[in-house]
Amino acid sequence: MDLSLTEEQQALVGMVREFANREVRPLAAELDREAKFPKQLVERMAELGLLGIEVPPEYDGSGLDPLSYVLAMEEVSTACASTGVIMSVNNSLVCDPLVKFANDEQKQEWLAPLARGDKLGCFMLSEPNAGSDAAAQKTRAVRDGDSYVINGVKNWITNGPQADTGILLCMTEPEKGHRGITAFVIDMHAEGVERGPKDDKLGIRGSHTCQIFFTDHRVPMSQRLGEEGHGFKVAMATLDCGRIGIAAQALGIGRAAFEAAAEYANDRKTFGKRIIDHQAIAFMLADMEVELEAARMLTYRAANLKQKGVRHTKASAMAKLYASEMANKVAKNAIQVFGGNGYVTEYPVERHFRDAKITEIYEGTSEIQRIVIASSLVRR
Ligand code: CAA
């Protein structure tokens, strides 16, 4: 695998890093403290082409490759993990399935506004009783003439309070299990779609989630994404890409914690010397950097396989598993390097620690990633 970045990728990193440092980082603590959605940053990401990074230009996207998406996600998430996940949901959980499964008419109508950032998207798979067991869908879509009537509840929907457009997975034929699930694209402002209050969360507090309630919500056939009964595959293929995005978000969180710890260790003195001159601290920092780089390699590899058009289910699971566990470990150790200062909100590492946790949970818990990885080892 060639690890060198193209000139275009280097330019993208420069542009996004400047945006992240100048505009995103200064707001991150306030967004977290006040659980405030960064509307103005989302608008700026739209202007910079960061909301439809891999969408082809004919549908108003930036037409870049999967590694560019990873690079941009890491930069934004280093500054603010909340802003990172808002971006990742729009790119990989909403634009990506539309690129792959929508017909041309659907792409013009639904994908292009999302890629331009005129609209924001959400992905509605999880339910109160269908989290890890994604096939246990209770939300029903019942065929009625040439439309479907949808009833049910979706849970923990990232961007739910703000979304204009949603990808919905629900049951059309319950007796068929996962083969009875169908995907739809939803106008989130339409009749019969309501949002619950936003969830009060441990971390990524600037990114809002809520329940979505469907009550006799009617959608025409033209809003079905792919064939009836193919929804589970739409969901799984979408998550194969989404997990690369979350791995990149974890890289950003891990890098932010590592960089803060390394800087602090160069300033803080104990026993007459900088704490980085104590081997206990220096070795901790060395391990953090190694694990960060190893996670980056796994994430680049998954993006590289996606670029080649080969199935990358396992590579994405490996990247997400390792990167999310790395981010948690690095953030925990960064607090240790900061000591008492790491435990107070005056310094950013407690936020990184809280933000890191969700990367081990959403888009498939670490246990689900291990199931996906281990399933390829089972002799059939
Ligand atoms: N791509 C294409 N098809 C796939 C696939 C993939 N990656 N993975 C599985 N499939 C297919 C299988 O080939 C099989 O097909 P057939 O019907 O033809 O046999 C079918 O799907 C069923 O596969 P499994 O038997 O493996 O399915 P399962 O019910 O055992 O579940 C699972 C597998 C991996 C545990 C899955 O349920 C899963 O990933 N769960 C986690 C769900 C998840 O990640 N939720 C996150 C919600 S989104 C979110 O978090 C967004 C946010 O807020 C940011």
Side-chain angles (χ1 to χ4, degrees):
M1 184 169 80
D2 181 6
L3 294 175
S4 53
L5 301 186
T6 63
E7 276 180 25
E8 196 182 34
Q9 288 163 340
Q10 288 174 33
L12 177 78
V13 170
M15 183 271 282
V16 184
R17 188 169 293 175
E18 196 187 327
F19 161 66
N21 285 337
R22 281 226 319 239
E23 301 178 51
V24 184
R25 195 181 301 275
L27 297 179
E30 180 193 339
L31 298 175
D32 171 62
R33 194 170 52 246
E34 295 177 14
K36 195 161 113 190
F37 181 79
K39 189 170 180 295
Q40 73 281 31
L41 295 180
V42 176
E43 285 164 8
R44 284 286 292 137
M45 288 197 289
E47 283 167 21
L48 296 172
L50 298 178
L51 294 181
I53 294 181
E54 294 175 62
V55 176
E58 67 256 41
Y59 300 110
D60 296 343
S62 299
L64 301 178
D65 60 303
L67 182 55
S68 296
Y69 170 54
V70 165
L71 297 168
M73 265 300 294
E74 179 182 333
E75 293 305 325
V76 171
S77 304
T78 300
C80 173
S82 296
T83 309
V85 74
I86 295 164
M87 169 181 163
S88 104
V89 167
N90 203 73
N91 275 280
S92 39
L93 296 189
V94 186
C95 288
D96 199 75
L98 289 169
V99 169
K100 289 202 184 100
F101 300 103
N103 59 38
D104 187 57
E105 225 166 275
Q106 290 173 325
K107 284 180 183 167
Q108 294 294 354
E109 182 176 356
W110 302 96
L111 174 62
L114 287 158
R116 287 196 299 272
D118 291 347
K119 293 199 168 165
L120 189 69
C122 69
F123 178 74
M124 297 172 284
L125 173 66
S126 301
E127 298 188 355
N129 293 305
S132 291
D133 186 2
Q137 296 284 309
K138 288 279 176 285
T139 298
R140 281 293 311 270
V142 176
R143 186 86 170 256
D144 181 24
D146 56 5
S147 57
Y148 292 86
V149 179
I150 301 175
N151 282 284
V153 184
K154 293 289 168 179
N155 253 41
W156 311 295
I157 303 305
T158 304
N159 293 350
Q162 293 83 17
D164 306 292
T165 303
I167 303 294
L168 172 72
L169 288 306
C170 61
M171 272 296 177
T172 39
E173 290 179 278
E175 62 287 355
K176 291 192 177 168
H178 71 263
R179 290 186 183 145
I181 295 172
T182 302
F184 294 90
V185 56
I186 300 290
D187 172 1
M188 299 297 290
H189 303 292
E191 207 182 322
V193 184
E194 277 175 74
R195 305 159 210 246
K198 81 177 162 70
D199 300 319
D200 192 12
K201 298 186 296 187
L202 172 73
I204 55 160
R205 291 168 55 78
S207 145
H208 295 175
T209 66
C210 68
Q211 286 190 306
I212 307 286
F213 301 93
F214 290 91
T215 312
D216 294 332
H217 173 60
R218 189 172 282 273
V219 292
M221 198 75 81
S222 60
Q223 283 177 231
R224 197 181 70 204
L225 195 57
E227 297 297 309
E228 204 171 279
H230 286 195
F232 194 69
K233 289 192 180 175
V234 171
M236 291 298 113
T238 300
L239 288 165
D240 285 347
C241 303
R243 288 167 186 166
I244 300 177
I246 299 307
Q249 184 201 25
L251 288 181
I253 298 168
R255 186 175 117 203
F258 165 70
E259 286 175 354
E263 200 179 316
Y264 186 81
N266 274 286
D267 292 336
R268 175 82 171 172
K269 288 200 173 82
T270 60
F271 305 101
K273 56 185 178 183
R274 300 174 308 176
I275 61 172
I276 200 165
D277 296 322
H278 296 295
Q279 234 176 31
I281 301 297
F283 281 10
M284 212 188 278
L285 290 167
D287 287 345
M288 285 182 192
E289 193 169 18
V290 172
E291 288 179 32
L292 183 57
E293 198 58 27
R296 188 173 284 122
M297 295 300 99
L298 281 172
T299 310
Y300 284 15
R301 178 170 163 269
N304 186 259
L305 292 177
K306 185 183 177 201
Q307 169 70 18
K308 287 185 176 146
V310 279
R311 175 104 177 237
H312 51 90
T313 303
K314 186 174 177 180
S316 295
M318 284 180 163
K320 200 249 184 203
L321 173 65
Y322 191 82
S324 60
E325 293 193 346
M326 173 282 296
N328 277 272
K329 192 167 158 197
V330 167
K332 173 173 157 285
N333 285 340
I335 292 187
Q336 200 64 19
V337 170
F338 272 76
N341 278 333
Y343 205 69
V344 294
T345 56
E346 188 185 341
Y347 291 90
V349 285
E350 61 82 32
R351 169 166 53 87
H352 303 321
F353 180 71
R354 287 183 290 104
D355 285 349
K357 187 60 210 169
I358 191 63
T359 64
E360 292 180 323
I361 298 172
Y362 58 21
E363 301 202 28
T365 60
S366 293
E367 292 70 28
I368 290 295
Q369 307 312 325
R370 287 187 166 90
I371 288 174
V372 171
I373 295 161
S375 71
S376 70
L377 306 174
V378 179
R379 203 181 299 135
R380 312 229 176 243

